[in-house]
Amino acid sequence: MGEGNFMRKTYVAFVAAIALIPLALWAQGQRTDEMPGMSSDVSAHAMHSMEERHMDMGPHMKMTNLRELKPGDQEKADQIVQAARKTADKYENYKTAVADGYKIFMPDLPQKQYHFTNYWYAFQAGTQFNPEHPTSLLYEKHGEDYKLIGVMHTAPKYATEDQLNERIPLSIAQWHAHVNLCVPPADKKRDAWGPNAKFGLAGSIATKTECEAAGGKFISQIFGWMVHVYPFEQDQASIWSVERQAHGHMD
């Protein structure tokens, strides 16, 4: 292959990768003027806020309601767990995931769980559910290596609970969404960190009125619906752990 052809193909691949970012956000129901890119200040701020401290399912996290178990629910959930195990076995080595198109989200931000995201799968999840194509792979970092612990599926933020139930039974799993984010103005970024934070997903401000009065930018829901699956666990409560989902984002 000539150098010119190589450069053209590299450029096309780069443009395609960049183009998928707003498509993935659109698929999850996120306005691109609110979230111009996964590496934007707002996105980085949201992730840092989620890692800052535990929020006890407070005003910044919304959960779906548990439903009564219906015939077929457990079998359907078991099939999703089996698919997650198959995916986890394939991507035990994070380098394989990277080679297959998964990109680490905010690699320089210390996190309890690192999300390796496939933006094409995120785009697909906007209209259909494929248990073998999780939007993100969840890894814990150990030194310079990563250990895979689970997968994350997503759905558009405008999805109803009935629609989420069609993907994964709500009698088994609870989806979560990050809500009521007040992004601080440039001169108040310090007020987004620490135990007495006012802004961010760990802050005391949780309404549009309070946010605008403080000079911030209010986002009612950032990202779409999410649910984690920890397929290596041995019991249902641990496989679909709500507490672990919350701590994974926020500790």
Side-chain angles (χ1 to χ4, degrees), residues 113-150:
Q113 295 179 18
Y114 287 80
H115 294 61
F116 283 63
T117 298
N118 186 308
Y119 293 109
W120 177 242
Y121 290 167
F123 174 65
Q124 291 178 324
T127 57
Q128 59 186 321
F129 176 66
N130 185 339
E132 295 185 359
H133 288 175
T135 294
S136 297
L137 305 173
L138 307 175
Y139 291 86
E140 290 178 342
K141 191 170 186 179
H142 297 272
E144 296 301 317
D145 200 8
Y146 292 90
K147 177 184 177 183
L148 193 146
I149 59 171

Side-chain angles (χ1 to χ4, degrees), residues 65-80:
N65 295 313
L66 274 174
R67 298 186 175 187
E68 291 186 9
L69 186 68
K70 293 184 177 180
D73 281 359
Q74 188 63 64
E75 291 77 10
K76 185 175 182 179
D78 288 345
Q79 291 175 0
I80 293 169

Side-chain angles (χ1 to χ4, degrees), residues 47-79:
M47 284 299 295
H48 203 309
S49 296
M50 287 187 275
E51 292 293 331
E52 184 71 8
R53 62 186 172 91
H54 179 46
M55 295 185 290
D56 298 323
M57 309 290 180
H60 298 291
M61 178 172 278
K62 177 170 63 175
M63 307 291 300
T64 55
N65 295 313
L66 274 174
R67 298 186 175 187
E68 291 186 9
L69 186 68
K70 293 184 177 180
D73 281 359
Q74 188 63 64
E75 291 77 10
K76 185 175 182 179
D78 288 345
Q79 291 175 0

